[in-house]
Amino acid sequence: MSAEAGEVAHDTVEAAVRAQLARAFGGMRGIVEAAVPTIAFTLSWITTEELKLSLIISIALSVLLLVVRLVQRSTPQFVINSLIGIAIGAFFASRTGEAKDYFLPGILWNGAYSIGMLISIVARWPVVGFLIGSVTGDPTGWHKDAGIVRLCTKLTWLLMLPCVVRVAVQLPVYLFGGGDQAVAALGLAKIAMGWPLQIAALAAMVWLLGRGRTPIKPPVAST
């Protein structure tokens, strides 16, 4: 998108970020597509205790959801993202023979994501700011405005919070839990703390964005 097009479409930072956030989430269908394979894996393992079968069912459902997307010619982005995560989890679990390792990559990913966003906040280059840059065509121009940096810092905190909560809840279960109970708890936690928690964070971000009208262009310095 050109800078001119971004400026015409969005005249405030809040409008630009809201538009980009809307594109980043897959709506109700994305929620279902992300949850179904995890539910299937968890229920299959609890019922049969057959790791290989549970992995096959989970991956097969993900592939089926992808095929449906392709047949309908709708964007497969969210299904592909989910399929990659499931495939990595399946690889971990199949290598160790431990069903709970299916959930380990997600825990590690959320931990890394939290650390990355925290570093961006401390460095005063909050990651949400780059959403604005993607709209205006200038990846770093937003950083010239201290007001925009403050707003993006608050939004980045909100974006990071779900990741921190997931790690804080799921990591102890993974480290100290065992058997069917740990797998069931991790499956339930992943579903409950997946899209629902992300949507709660998004709602908080939208509420914060709705309170202000920050011009998308940084002020021109006087000479």
Side-chain angles (χ1 to χ4, degrees):
M1 179 182 294
S2 67
E4 291 80 10
E7 290 164 8
V8 170
H10 309 293
D11 59 350
T12 67
V13 171
E14 288 80 7
V17 176
R18 280 199 302 269
Q20 293 298 87
L21 287 174
R23 295 172 188 169
F25 294 87
M28 183 56 65
R29 183 172 179 178
I31 296 171
V32 172
E33 289 171 340
V36 165
T38 298
I39 294 172
F41 174 84
T42 305
L43 292 178
S44 177
W45 168 256
I46 293 173
T47 304
T48 67
E49 293 191 7
E50 291 287 340
L51 178 58
K52 185 175 180 179
L53 175 63
S54 301
L55 293 174
I56 290 173
I57 291 173
S58 178
I59 294 174
L61 281 173
S62 298
V63 172
L64 177 61
L65 291 171
L66 176 60
V67 171
V68 171
R69 282 276 191 175
L70 294 175
V71 169
Q72 294 178 342
R73 296 186 179 180
S74 60
T75 175
Q77 172 190 345
F78 305 103
V79 180
I80 291 174
N81 292 343
S82 177
L83 180 58
I84 292 173
I86 290 166
I88 295 173
F91 174 77
F92 272 60
S94 63
R95 293 286 292 180
T96 64
E98 291 284 344
K100 68 178 183 179
D101 285 338
Y102 177 85
F103 302 96
L104 180 59
I107 298 172
L108 296 177
W109 169 254
N110 278 280
Y113 207 54
S114 300
I115 293 171
M117 284 191 283
L118 181 60
I119 291 173
S120 78
I121 291 171
V122 172
R124 291 187 56 78
W125 282 89
V127 295
V128 173
F130 295 99
L131 293 177
I132 300 168
S134 69
V135 171
T136 62
D138 184 352
T140 60
W142 57 273
H143 196 260
K144 300 174 185 177
D145 190 316
I148 295 179
V149 173
R150 286 193 296 270
L151 173 64
C152 291
T153 297
K154 294 177 183 177
L155 293 170
T156 302
W157 278 115
L158 290 173
L159 190 63
M160 183 179 75
L161 185 58
C163 299
V164 174
V165 172
R166 290 176 192 132
V167 174
V169 173
Q170 295 176 29
L171 185 59
V173 176
Y174 173 81
L175 291 176
F176 305 112
D180 292 351
Q181 292 181 343
V183 175
L186 287 168
L188 180 62
K190 183 171 182 177
I191 295 164
M193 296 181 177
W195 280 106
L197 195 59
Q198 201 69 49
I199 289 174
L202 176 61
M205 295 171 77
V206 170
W207 174 81
L208 180 62
L209 290 167
R211 299 177 62 198
R213 289 187 58 82
T214 308
I216 202 166
K217 285 185 176 182
V220 179
S222 58
T223 56

